[in-house]
């Protein structure tokens, strides 16, 4: 008889999505492979639910195309021609090329480039530590959250809010600017519970009829970049119709009289003319919010990825302050819990060796940086050598023509530490095989919830895969970079970080599985005052001092509106570019992660663009036609998919498909811009004007 297969249920945390950071129960089979992955019922936010792509994680971690050995490029950049080499050969070459770049141009010619392919602190922070010790160019992360953080902090004073589990105790859950069904499935768990147990309504505010909108009772579809106008029209009606809580406003907010006067001209008719939302829908939404004290505003990232995104977040956040919803359990607002973690990251990031005089290069401007733009280079030397971890800029960064032009430079040395041969890895000189999260130890927190956890290594990595920490350690030794973090194991760094943060040690946290750090009710609802010095919620935003202290103000921040408003700084459609394009997330991909698995590829199919049937008729396009989109940055070709679930003149391309999946080889980010969004930088992925036409033939592939 065959021996029985031994299946153990082990626990971990998903590292791929900061807002969710789902608690996982993982089947470990015979101590060597994994089976089914489930959301753990032992953690109250995940509550037993996980997205389909992570449930199928065995498909990814045991994928036959995983990188297993170090490789050296043997053909032209981008050719995909590599030869296997040893780890010592690879690391020696990387260190030698880094030293050569430093000798020729100074230490700032080396740029460790990394991001959030893993949200774990240890695997993400080592590149910072190396940069700080060696005085390499620092990395200023702008692709994701800066815009949203600034807008929320402008109102509340810090980035933290109501316990997100209180959605289940709400009578109206407003899901604004996030397609939670696709990107934050646990939001729907708690919102659906409120509907089932309390008869609560779910309202969705977004730019198209996505999967979340399809589950909503109240549906608001607006034009991209007009959320601020919609919010002002709603607040006008709240004041006009007696729904403003004047006692709350007098006690907890900075300038309610000034706000009401300002909103006098921001009527629902005015808001409708900008947003495209019918006046009746604006009025009805205002009435629903005004009559429902327990209204919970779950604000997302999506509607902030616009040139006016911070102002839009601030405007939306002002609504529950006008109604006084913060006073009630199940009422108020939540975006992210960034302010509650209070981790001491000195060891993880090497903050004790940070020299603020060393330049910080903007992640989103990688194309401009690698093509020698003096402003993007902050007046410093050219970037000559890079180590890339946890990100795939050849797909996900804006201004793809410049990105590609930069990466094909013969004088640029690039080492990529990856799990698959991504389009960025194909441009590398050296490729290193990386572990996945179940193959190394790390420390996690949930941005959209309140738990911290240790994710332990559950199985051995395949082939010769090494973790980010191991690679940074080995390079530090060769580069003579000295820091305690380079001498410690991942578990030792986790333990020391927890102790320095007054969170106990690693053994204590592992015993708890997931520790709940949710602040008590009064603090989370700001009942003893908001986090500004005056204790007030600020309707008047001071964008010069908003609490995002990672860099100096960027973009046209001096022109930002103080009071909530529609800030007309977006890329407006015009005669040359008559359409507004947003690159919203696809359900089965997470940026470019999971687009290597066959189940995700099958669900998403070819790259498509949603357009209104009336617009399609004007373009002589029918469902399934090839359609070309373009602007001054570039062109790409997709498949047309007709939908009346969006406003006229709006296009939605759910992404990110690989560049090579597009006819012509240029992906959707060839159309997106890298100009910095005020007040602290960011990329406006959902704010693009384009032309559109039926594609007679694919455009030329990249050289």
């Amino acid at each position: 008889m065959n021996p029985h297969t031994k299946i153990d249920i082990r626990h971990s945390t998903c590292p791929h999505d900061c807002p969710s950071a789902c608690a996982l129960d993982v089947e470990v089979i015979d101590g060597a492979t994994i089976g089914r992955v489930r959301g753990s019922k032992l953690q109250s936010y995940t509550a037993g639910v996980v997205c389909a792509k992570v449930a199928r994680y065995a498909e990814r971690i045991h994928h036959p195309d995983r990188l297993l050995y170090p490789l050296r490029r043997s053909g032209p950049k981008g050719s995909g021609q590599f030869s296997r080499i040893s780890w010592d050969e690879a690391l020696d070459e990387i260190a030698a090329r880094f030293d050569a770049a430093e000798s020729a141009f100074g230490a700032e010619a080396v740029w460790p480039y990394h991001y959030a392919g893993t949200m774990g602190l240890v695997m993400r922070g080592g590149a910072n530590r190396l940069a700080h010790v060696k005085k390499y160019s620092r990395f200023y992360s702008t692709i994701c959250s800066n815009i949203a953080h600034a807008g929320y902090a402008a109102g509340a004073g810090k980035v933290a809010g109501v316990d997100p589990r209180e959605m289940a105790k709400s009578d109206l859950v407003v899901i604004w600017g996030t397609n939670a069904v696709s990107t934050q499935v646990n939001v729907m768990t708690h919102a659906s519970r409120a509907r089932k147990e309390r008869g609560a309504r779910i309202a969705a505010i977004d730019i198209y009829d996505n999967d979340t909108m399809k589950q909503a009772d109240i549906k608001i579809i607006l034009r991209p970049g007009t959320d601020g106008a919609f919010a002002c029209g709603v607040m006008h009606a709240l004041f006009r119709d007696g729904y403003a809580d004047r006692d709350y406003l007098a006690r907890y907010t900075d300038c309610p009289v000034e706000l009401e006067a300002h909103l006098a001209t921001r009527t629902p008719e005015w808001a409708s003319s900008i947003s495209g939302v019918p006046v009746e829908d604006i009025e009805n939404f205002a009435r629903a919010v005004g009559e429902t004290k327990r209204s919970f505003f779950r604000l997302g990232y999506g509607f902030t990825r616009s040139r006016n995104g911070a102002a839009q977040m601030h405007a939306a956040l002002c609504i529950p302050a006008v109604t006084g919803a913060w006073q009630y359990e199940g009422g108020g607002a939540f975006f992210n819990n960034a302010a509650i973690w209070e981790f001491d990251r000195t060891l993880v990031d090497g903050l004790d060796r940070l020299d603020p005089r060393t330049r910080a290069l903007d992640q989103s401007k990688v194309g401009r940086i690698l093509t020698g733009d003096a402003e993007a280079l902050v007046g410093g030397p050219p970037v000559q050598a890079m180590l890339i971890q946890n990100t795939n800029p050849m797909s996900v960064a804006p201004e793809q023509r410049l990105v590609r032009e930069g990466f094909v430079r013969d004088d640029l040395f690039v080492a990529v530490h990856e799990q698959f041969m991504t389009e960025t890895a194909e441009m590398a000189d050296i490729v290193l095989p990386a572990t996945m999260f179940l193959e190394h130890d790390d420390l996690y927190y949930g941005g959209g919830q309140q738990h911290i956890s240790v994710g332990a290594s559950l199985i051995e990595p395949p082939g010769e895969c090494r973790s980010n920490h191991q690679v940074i350690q080995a390079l530090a030794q060769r580069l003579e970079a000295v820091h305690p973090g380079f001498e410690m194991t991942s578990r030792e760094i986790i333990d020391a970080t927890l102790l320095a943060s007054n969170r106990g040690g690693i053994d204590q946290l592992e015993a708890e599985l997931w520790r709940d750090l949710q602040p008590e009710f009064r603090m989370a609802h700001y009942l003893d005052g908001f986090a500004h010095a005056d204790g007030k919620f600020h309707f008047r935003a001071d964008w010069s001092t908003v609490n995002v202290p990672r860099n100096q103000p960027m973009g046209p921040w001096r022109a930002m509106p103080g009071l909530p408003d529609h800030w007309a700084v977006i890329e407006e459609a015009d005669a040359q570019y008559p359409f507004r394009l947003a690159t919203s997330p696809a359900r089965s991909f997470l940026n470019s992660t999971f687009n290597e698995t066959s189940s995700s590829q099958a669900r998403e199919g070819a790259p498509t663009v949603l357009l209104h049937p009336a617009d399609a008729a004007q373009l002589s396009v029918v469902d399934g036609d090839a359609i070309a989109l373009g602007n001054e940055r570039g062109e790409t070709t997709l498949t047309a998919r007709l939908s009346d679930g969006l406003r006229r003149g709006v296009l939605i391309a759910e992404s990110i498909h690989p560049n090579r999946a597009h006819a012509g080889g240029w992906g959707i980010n060839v159309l997106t811009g890298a100009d910095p969004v005020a007040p602290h930088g960011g990329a406006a992925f959902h704010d693009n004007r384009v032309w559109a036409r039926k594609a007679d033939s694919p455009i030329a592939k990249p050289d």
Side-chain angles (χ1 to χ4, degrees):
M1 293 180 64
N2 293 327
H4 291 293
T5 300
K6 182 182 179 183
I7 299 179
D8 294 324
I9 303 300
R10 303 286 300 279
H11 305 294
S12 190
T13 297
C14 176
H16 289 293
D17 181 33
C18 156
S20 299
C22 292
L24 306 177
D25 295 340
V26 182
E27 292 181 349
V28 178
I29 303 170
D30 291 333
T33 61
I34 72 163
R36 185 72 179 176
V37 178
R38 297 177 176 85
S40 181
K41 295 179 180 179
L42 300 176
Q43 195 233 65
S44 57
Y45 183 73
T46 299
V49 178
V50 73
C51 72
K53 50 188 174 284
V54 172
R56 301 188 301 264
Y57 210 80
E59 179 185 11
R60 186 169 195 272
I61 199 168
H62 302 306
H63 198 292
D65 293 339
R66 274 193 70 175
L67 293 170
L68 300 177
Y69 309 102
L71 303 169
R72 177 188 287 124
R73 179 169 59 85
S74 57
K77 287 194 174 184
S79 66
Q81 298 175 32
F82 291 90
S83 300
R84 180 177 171 180
I85 58 175
S86 70
W87 267 102
D88 282 337
E89 289 177 295
L91 293 166
D92 288 347
E93 183 166 344
I94 295 169
R97 295 296 295 267
F98 279 20
D99 282 341
E102 181 176 356
S103 295
F105 296 94
E108 289 182 334
V110 180
W111 189 23
Y113 189 98
H114 61 103
Y115 198 52
T118 175
M119 299 302 303
L121 267 67
V122 177
M123 298 304 155
R124 189 173 173 183
N128 288 331
R129 190 185 325 122
L130 183 65
H132 295 157
V133 171
K134 291 292 294 181
K135 304 295 185 289
Y136 294 154
S137 286
R138 293 182 288 136
F139 181 84
Y140 182 47
S141 60
T142 54
I143 257 180
C144 182
S145 62
N146 288 20
I147 309 167
H149 278 223
Y152 194 97
K158 66 179 181 182
V159 181
V162 173
D163 185 338
R165 293 167 296 195
E166 283 188 35
M167 281 183 284
K169 300 177 181 180
S170 177
D171 295 324
L172 174 63
V173 180
V174 180
I175 301 173
W176 193 327
T178 178
N179 183 5
V181 169
S182 294
T183 64
Q184 299 185 51
V185 65
N186 309 111
V187 169
M188 301 308 298
T189 298
H190 299 284
S192 298
R193 181 181 167 192
R195 173 190 276 161
K196 180 179 179 180
E197 296 180 0
R198 301 178 58 84
R201 290 177 292 175
I202 297 174
I205 303 172
D206 217 314
I207 57 176
Y208 71 115
D209 188 17
N210 53 42
D211 288 340
T212 302
M213 191 77 68
K214 288 177 170 61
Q215 295 192 24
D217 304 291
I218 300 171
K219 305 181 181 186
I220 303 294
I221 298 176
L222 36 67
R223 298 181 182 122
T226 64
D227 302 72
F230 172 76
C232 288
V234 168
M235 287 187 285
H236 173 100
L238 291 171
F239 276 107
R240 182 198 65 199
D241 295 341
Y243 292 120
D245 187 330
R246 296 189 182 277
D247 290 339
Y248 181 87
L249 287 165
R251 180 177 178 185
Y252 286 101
T253 69
D254 63 338
C255 58
V257 174
E258 184 182 2
L259 175 67
E260 185 174 8
H262 165 73
L263 293 171
T265 59
R266 273 64 174 176
T267 64
E269 290 77 13
W270 169 87
S272 177
S273 69
I274 296 170
S275 67
V277 180
V279 171
E280 181 181 8
D281 290 352
I282 298 173
E283 298 274 7
N284 289 341
F285 179 76
R287 187 177 306 110
V289 170
E291 292 177 347
T292 310
K293 296 299 184 183
R294 297 175 187 266
S295 294
F296 191 110
F297 283 71
R298 183 56 174 87
L299 305 174
Y301 294 84
F303 76 122
T304 71
R305 291 181 176 137
S306 177
R307 287 167 179 81
N308 59 3
Q312 297 202 136
M313 171 66 83
H314 176 246
L317 184 63
C318 288
I319 295 175
V322 170
T323 65
W326 289 96
Q327 300 168 91
Y328 307 100
E329 186 177 34
F334 181 83
F335 155 65
N336 185 287
N337 255 336
I340 77 170
W341 309 118
E342 299 179 349
F343 283 123
D344 184 331
R345 299 179 63 121
T346 302
L347 180 63
V348 168
D349 290 321
L351 298 178
D352 52 338
R353 300 294 299 276
L354 187 157
D355 184 347
R357 296 171 296 180
T358 304
R359 70 179 176 182
L361 298 179
D362 186 339
Q363 169 191 25
S364 299
K365 295 182 181 179
V366 59
R368 301 183 189 191
I369 288 164
L370 296 184
T371 53
D373 183 291
E375 181 182 4
L377 287 165
V378 198
V383 169
Q384 297 292 116
M386 301 175 72
L387 170 66
I388 299 176
Q389 292 181 318
N390 306 336
T391 189
N392 182 16
M394 278 292 295
S395 290
V396 306
E399 298 182 346
Q400 280 288 301
R401 283 191 178 274
L402 292 179
V403 174
R404 181 175 179 82
E405 182 182 339
F407 273 109
V408 298
R409 281 172 40 201
D410 288 331
D411 65 335
L412 174 68
F413 173 79
V414 177
V416 174
H417 187 203
E418 253 296 354
Q419 298 159 349
F420 293 93
M421 186 59 76
T422 65
E423 288 167 307
T424 303
E426 289 176 348
M427 303 301 294
D429 299 283
I430 298 289
V431 176
L432 306 173
T435 53
M436 293 189 186
F437 76 103
L438 297 173
E439 300 162 350
H440 57 240
D441 302 311
D442 216 333
L443 175 62
Y444 301 103
Y445 60 91
Q449 38 142 318
Q450 56 279 99
H451 293 88
I452 62 173
S453 64
V454 175
S457 175
L458 303 186
I459 60 174
E460 290 297 315
E464 296 180 7
C465 294
R466 294 188 186 181
S467 72
N468 292 1
H469 178 60
Q470 290 172 310
V471 169
I472 295 295
Q473 277 184 310
L475 285 176
Q477 183 180 25
R478 287 166 170 80
L479 294 165
E480 299 182 351
V482 178
H483 190 275
F486 298 138
E487 307 300 324
M488 303 166 70
T489 67
S490 297
R491 290 184 63 84
E492 288 170 338
I493 292 176
I494 294 168
D495 190 54
T497 297
L498 289 169
L499 291 170
S501 308
N502 296 315
R503 300 294 189 194
I506 188 173
D507 292 338
Q508 181 181 344
L509 183 53
E510 283 190 306
E512 297 176 42
L513 297 181
W514 299 281
R515 182 181 300 162
D516 187 342
L517 298 184
Q518 178 61 41
E520 53 87 23
F521 181 88
R522 291 193 64 84
M523 179 179 292
H525 285 255
Y526 298 101
L527 297 183
D528 295 316
F530 285 85
H532 290 291
D534 60 3
K536 305 287 189 180
F537 180 92
H538 282 194
F539 292 128
R540 176 165 289 284
D542 182 351
W543 299 108
S544 67
T545 61
V546 67
N547 186 28
V548 186
R550 290 179 288 181
N551 208 345
Q552 298 300 312
M554 300 172 67
W557 62 273
R558 290 182 177 86
M560 296 184 73
L563 292 170
D565 212 339
H566 172 64
W567 185 27
V569 72
I570 58 176
E571 282 196 354
E572 296 281 9
D574 58 20
Q576 185 176 5
Y577 304 110
F579 292 95
R580 296 264 295 140
L581 168 71
T583 60
S584 302
R587 185 167 184 173
S588 294
F589 300 152
L590 205 169
N591 298 316
S592 65
T593 304
F594 296 98
N595 65 23
E596 69 283 325
T597 58
S598 58
S599 60
S600 291
Q601 292 169 350
R603 189 190 186 283
E604 296 302 331
T608 60
V609 60
L610 294 175
L611 72 162
H612 195 280
D615 291 328
Q618 285 194 347
L619 297 171
S620 300
V621 167
V622 299
D623 204 79
D625 276 351
I627 181 170
L629 310 181
N631 57 23
E632 66 274 19
R633 303 179 191 105
E635 302 178 19
T636 188
T637 303
L638 307 94
T639 300
R641 186 151 60 95
L642 275 57
S643 170
D644 59 4
L646 70 173
R647 299 295 172 194
R648 290 286 310 273
V650 175
L651 305 175
I652 306 291
E654 293 184 332
S655 58
I656 298 173
H657 293 260
N659 297 329
R660 55 180 169 266
H662 293 254
W666 290 106
I668 197 65
N669 279 317
V670 75
L671 304 174
T672 58
D675 46 305
V677 174
H680 290 281
F685 287 106
H686 303 333
D687 183 1
N688 311 283
R689 61 185 178 190
V690 298
W691 52 256
R693 63 169 180 254
K694 186 174 181 178
D696 297 323
S697 60
I699 60 175
K701 291 186 177 182
D703 295 330

